[in-house]
Amino acid sequence: MATIKDVAKRAGVAVSTASYALNGINKVSQATVDKVLKAAQELNYQKNGIASDLKRTKTNTIALILSDLSGPYFSELIKGVQDVTTSNGYDLIACSSVGGDKSTATKFLREKRVDGAIVLATNISTEAIKASAREDFPIVVLDREVANPHVIHVEVDNQQGGYDATKHLLYKGHRSIAYVSGPLDSHDNKERFKGYKAALAASEIPYHSRWTINGDFTREGGYRATRTLIAQQNLPEAIFYANDEMAIGGLQAFSEKGIRVPEDISIIGFDDIQLAAYVHPPLTTVRQPKYEAGSLSVHLIFQMLAGESVDQTYKLATEFVERDSVKKR
Amino acid sequence: MATIKDVAKRAGVAVSTASYALNGINKVSQATVDKVLKAAQELNYQKNGIASDLKRTKTNTIALILSDLSGPYFSELIKGVQDVTTSNGYDLIACSSVGGDKSTATKFLREKRVDGAIVLATNISTEAIKASAREDFPIVVLDREVANPHVIHVEVDNQQGGYDATKHLLYKGHRSIAYVSGPLDSHDNKERFKGYKAALAASEIPYHSRWTINGDFTREGGYRATRTLIAQQNLPEAIFYANDEMAIGGLQAFSEKGIRVPEDISIIGFDDIQLAAYVHPPLTTVRQPKYEAGSLSVHLIFQMLAGESVDQTYKLATEFVERDSVKKR
DNA sequence: CTGTTAGCGCCTTCAC
DNA sequence: GTGAAGGCGCTAACAG
């Protein structure tokens, strides 16, 4: 593999000259530039980005850390991140945190392979995040709160969303409303649950723990939770699923048992994933401003990189989306 | 930021000793190792991966290049890639080729930032791929053929799939079958189209160019193509869409016009994306072995990295998936 | 405008 | 077992 040295030699100039020419730095005569470019071409020279990054102690790329590259992601969020990253002349790479603290993601976090990171990956420990965040390595987390001056938290107002969803169910006349939760340690889940309880309290409906079932944010989990709810006899009038995937799993459980949604039971999800509009009945849900969350996150990273100070936490509003999975009245 | 030098100094040993200790190389006394580790801990030392990669001229990571990180991807494919990459102790990063030949992706391709790459991104030029592939930098392409000994082509048997789909329509008694194509320069599209024509020919049905409409693999494109088909009056009895997204767009066009699928017209898609089973009616389609394609690709990369020789092209079989968008007979 | 040179942070012979 | 020293390939002063 040809190096810049080879190019310089072939062009009959010094390495620095070759470097200037190759990088379009206005310090070299056009004739020299041509010579260098020609030599580079002939040798099929490709710069070694690693060496250049090392020298400049800067990579010009930011990482988006996802718990699983193949997961059902919010493409809107990725789009938001992508758009502002590239429009700032930075590169974006996505890496997976499968494997937790010894995953690719953690490696990139720790080893200065990128200039900043956005993490949406519950399976990475908060410790790992704390250990990596520094003044010149800002991190934005989307799924938890981290007490560290160099990590910023961007979140959707999950509590408000949960409140709105539950309130809607109440407004439609339902009194017994179950909550199918996400993983108990999920920040998002906790907040949605708080909203659920707050809405109940606001309507002076007592909260019954028998009506909260554990799920795990997966379709399968929603399916199972729903089956156990059905098996319990005495179905509630409505269910608030902590996310759409689980609600869709629930839909399947109901359909198998011949229980009609929304005639027999009303349900609401959370997220407004793409599928939500396509299932039957189309799912009433709470939309997250995903694009905004993504673009805001990168914006914050750039601000921190520029040495500006930013707030520790940003909370984005949700939007209630009414479709057909709640009984009209 | 502490470097290995600082650690060595603090531990009172030479840099090399620190390096050995840190990397668990069995050359240092346990006492020294402890000293070094302690110093590293105290300084919150994090190795600089870039420097280490540079020195070793090896990154231990492979790149998956996608035309758009936020696109509707085959998560199965990504999973296949991810699984075998990590199980080989390598890291995987995904990068976007938005921006074509001056995108993040191209940068990673060219600049030795990874040890190998899998590309599924039509917006990257074949030239860029050719220029980057080398003996020690294998590339697997999933969406085209590239004449270069260091780039391998893994593809699904699109032609067979197209043939099967069309044959099925024929078998169900349809004689006039339209083809809604993908982008004309898409390799996949061309192959599917070949299959379509071959099936027609095998049944001695003449091919009418009026029944092939240009689409672009997007839902919107399928919608538009379908609208023009409808506007043309004289609808065919069936339509073979070159992918599911377009078929779903078509479904919408039909539903707006009150045309029933499959009663009034039969349709078939290609890919078997997740949504395919959820739309109404559930879409009959051709499934691609996505997981296998992904895992095979990485396998090949590792083989090439190990200096073994592999074939130039691999073709995977498709599977016909019958659902309810084709009229029974 | 061009060349010389000193590192970026790490790994790895090679002596001791 | 430990230390000194030489790069990996590139950039950016600094001289000329």
Side-chain angles (χ1 to χ4, degrees):
Chain A
M1 215 40 236
T3 74
I4 197 172
K5 247 183 189 154
D6 302 319
V7 174
K9 192 186 297 172
R10 181 169 190 116
V13 300
V15 257
S16 58
T17 308
S19 173
Y20 292 139
L22 258 8
N23 292 304
I25 287 170
N26 184 29
K27 255 188 161 193
V28 191
S29 67
Q30 190 55 46
T32 313
V33 170
D34 292 344
K35 250 191 332 201
V36 172
L37 259 31
K38 181 155 158 290
Q41 175 111 123
E42 288 165 359
L43 294 169
N44 186 26
Y45 166 75
Q46 309 283 170
K47 95 143 123 185
N48 182 323
I50 308 234
S52 143
D53 284 352
L54 173 59
K55 177 63 192 181
R56 301 200 330 247
T57 59
K58 179 167 188 318
T59 64
N60 242 273
T61 111
I62 87 128
L64 174 59
I65 297 183
L66 269 13
S67 35
D68 185 345
L69 247 24
S70 63
Y73 275 106
F74 300 144
S75 67
E76 284 298 307
L77 186 143
I78 299 183
K79 194 162 168 38
V81 171
Q82 198 168 252
D83 283 356
V84 356
T85 306
T86 57
S87 76
N88 275 69
Y90 267 61
D91 293 312
L92 174 69
I93 65 175
C95 40
S96 150
S97 62
V98 173
D101 281 353
K102 42 191 287 304
S103 59
T104 302
T106 325
K107 175 169 154 187
F108 273 75
L109 267 187
R110 259 193 289 101
E111 302 184 355
K112 295 196 207 320
R113 288 165 187 282
V114 289
D115 293 345
I118 296 174
V119 358
L120 176 55
T122 43
N123 57 343
I124 279 204
S125 72
T126 297
E127 279 60 49
I129 294 177
K130 274 189 191 160
S132 308
R134 295 178 304 276
E135 164 124 32
D136 59 343
F137 188 71
I139 299 180
V140 169
V141 293
L142 297 172
D143 57 3
R144 72 188 80 187
E145 275 175 299
V146 176
N148 180 299
H150 305 116
V151 1
I152 301 299
H153 181 209
V154 169
E155 78 168 326
V156 144
D157 196 338
N158 287 293
Q159 189 172 340
Q160 182 67 45
Y163 185 89
D164 292 347
T166 313
K167 209 62 189 168
H168 180 79
L169 258 10
L170 257 7
Y171 172 73
K172 291 295 183 184
H174 302 302
R175 317 311 286 167
S176 55
I177 301 176
Y179 178 78
V180 174
S181 82
L184 266 20
D185 56 354
S186 150
H187 179 76
D188 289 352
N189 176 63
K190 283 184 209 159
E191 293 296 309
R192 290 169 198 177
F193 187 51
K194 269 189 213 163
Y196 161 78
K197 288 214 289 197
L200 250 33
S203 291
E204 295 180 355
I205 307 268
Y207 160 72
H208 286 301
S209 66
R210 131 173 96 105
W211 272 336
T212 120
I213 311 263
N214 280 349
D216 55 3
F217 279 164
T218 70
R219 201 174 297 182
E220 176 63 17
Y223 175 83
R224 280 194 308 261
T226 307
R227 296 283 293 216
T228 78
L229 220 34
I230 294 171
Q232 237 178 230
Q233 312 289 6
N234 186 10
L235 229 42
E237 297 161 32
I239 304 180
F240 172 30
Y241 289 89
N243 79 352
D244 288 347
E245 284 286 345
M246 293 197 298
I248 290 170
L251 239 24
Q252 190 186 339
F254 286 130
S255 130
E256 286 176 11
K257 290 291 182 187
I259 297 170
R260 295 162 309 159
V261 177
E263 292 81 355
D264 301 329
I265 188 165
S266 293
I267 74 174
I268 284 190
F270 203 110
D271 285 349
D272 193 25
I273 61 175
Q274 197 199 34
L275 251 182
Y278 286 90
V279 292
H280 279 252
L283 201 59
T284 292
T285 186
V286 178
R287 177 182 302 147
Q288 300 197 33
K290 300 155 206 134
Y291 183 92
E292 289 77 1
S295 57
L296 173 61
S297 299
V298 195
H299 259 306
L300 292 172
I301 288 194
F302 286 133
Q303 285 183 37
M304 293 170 81
L305 246 19
E308 293 162 32
S309 74
V310 298
D311 292 346
Q312 269 276 36
T313 299
Y314 291 79
K315 197 167 274 190
L316 272 27
T318 57
E319 181 191 347
F320 186 74
V321 179
E322 184 163 8
R323 286 200 271 254
D324 309 321
S325 63
V326 173
K327 196 194 304 198
K328 307 270 189 287
R329 69 155 200 175
Chain B
M1 215 42 232
T3 74
I4 197 172
K5 247 183 189 154
D6 301 320
V7 175
K9 192 184 297 171
R10 182 171 190 114
V13 300
V15 194
S16 57
T17 309
S19 174
Y20 290 139
L22 258 7
N23 293 304
I25 287 170
N26 184 28
K27 257 190 162 191
V28 192
S29 66
Q30 190 55 49
T32 313
V33 171
D34 292 344
K35 247 189 338 196
V36 172
L37 259 30
K38 180 155 160 290
Q41 175 112 108
E42 289 167 357
L43 294 169
N44 187 26
Y45 166 75
Q46 308 284 171
K47 92 141 117 181
N48 182 323
I50 307 235
S52 145
D53 284 352
L54 173 60
K55 179 65 194 178
R56 301 198 329 244
T57 59
K58 179 166 188 322
T59 63
N60 242 272
T61 111
I62 87 128
L64 174 60
I65 297 183
L66 268 14
S67 37
D68 184 346
L69 247 26
S70 63
Y73 275 104
F74 300 144
S75 68
E76 285 299 306
L77 186 143
I78 299 182
K79 193 160 168 41
V81 171
Q82 199 169 250
D83 282 358
V84 359
T85 305
T86 56
S87 76
N88 275 69
Y90 267 61
D91 293 311
L92 175 68
I93 64 174
C95 40
S96 150
S97 62
V98 172
D101 281 353
K102 44 193 287 304
S103 61
T104 302
T106 324
K107 174 170 154 187
F108 274 76
L109 266 187
R110 259 193 289 102
E111 304 185 354
K112 298 195 203 318
R113 289 166 186 282
V114 289
D115 294 345
I118 296 175
V119 356
L120 176 53
T122 43
N123 58 344
I124 278 203
S125 72
T126 298
E127 279 61 49
I129 295 178
K130 275 190 189 160
S132 309
R134 294 177 305 275
E135 165 123 36
D136 59 343
F137 188 70
I139 299 180
V140 169
V141 292
L142 298 172
D143 57 2
R144 72 186 80 187
E145 275 176 298
V146 176
N148 181 301
H150 306 115
V151 0
I152 301 298
H153 181 209
V154 169
E155 77 168 326
V156 144
D157 197 339
N158 287 294
Q159 191 173 338
Q160 182 69 45
Y163 186 89
D164 292 347
T166 312
K167 209 63 188 164
H168 180 80
L169 258 10
L170 255 9
Y171 171 73
K172 291 295 184 183
H174 301 303
R175 316 311 288 168
S176 55
I177 302 175
Y179 178 78
V180 175
S181 81
L184 266 20
D185 55 354
S186 150
H187 179 76
D188 289 354
N189 175 63
K190 284 183 207 158
E191 294 294 311
R192 290 169 197 177
F193 186 52
K194 270 191 214 163
Y196 161 77
K197 288 213 288 197
L200 249 33
S203 290
E204 297 181 354
I205 306 266
Y207 161 72
H208 286 301
S209 68
R210 132 173 96 104
W211 271 337
T212 121
I213 311 262
N214 280 347
D216 54 3
F217 280 164
T218 70
R219 199 174 299 182
E220 175 64 16
Y223 175 82
R224 278 194 310 260
T226 307
R227 296 283 293 214
T228 77
L229 220 34
I230 294 172
Q232 239 180 226
Q233 315 289 5
N234 186 9
L235 229 41
E237 296 162 32
I239 303 181
F240 172 29
Y241 289 89
N243 80 350
D244 287 348
E245 283 285 347
M246 294 197 297
I248 290 170
L251 239 25
Q252 190 186 339
F254 286 129
S255 130
E256 286 176 10
K257 291 290 182 185
I259 297 170
R260 294 163 309 158
V261 178
E263 293 81 355
D264 302 329
I265 188 167
S266 293
I267 74 174
I268 284 191
F270 203 110
D271 285 348
D272 193 25
I273 62 175
Q274 196 198 36
L275 251 182
Y278 286 91
V279 292
H280 278 254
L283 201 60
T284 292
T285 185
V286 179
R287 179 181 301 148
Q288 302 196 34
K290 300 155 208 135
Y291 183 92
E292 289 77 1
S295 57
L296 173 60
S297 300
V298 196
H299 259 306
L300 292 171
I301 287 194
F302 286 134
Q303 285 183 37
M304 294 172 80
L305 245 20
E308 293 163 30
S309 73
V310 298
D311 293 345
Q312 269 276 40
T313 299
Y314 292 79
K315 197 167 274 189
L316 272 29
T318 57
E319 180 191 348
F320 187 74
V321 179
E322 183 163 8
R323 287 201 270 254
D324 309 322
S325 63
V326 173
K327 198 194 301 198
K328 307 267 189 284
R329 68 157 199 174

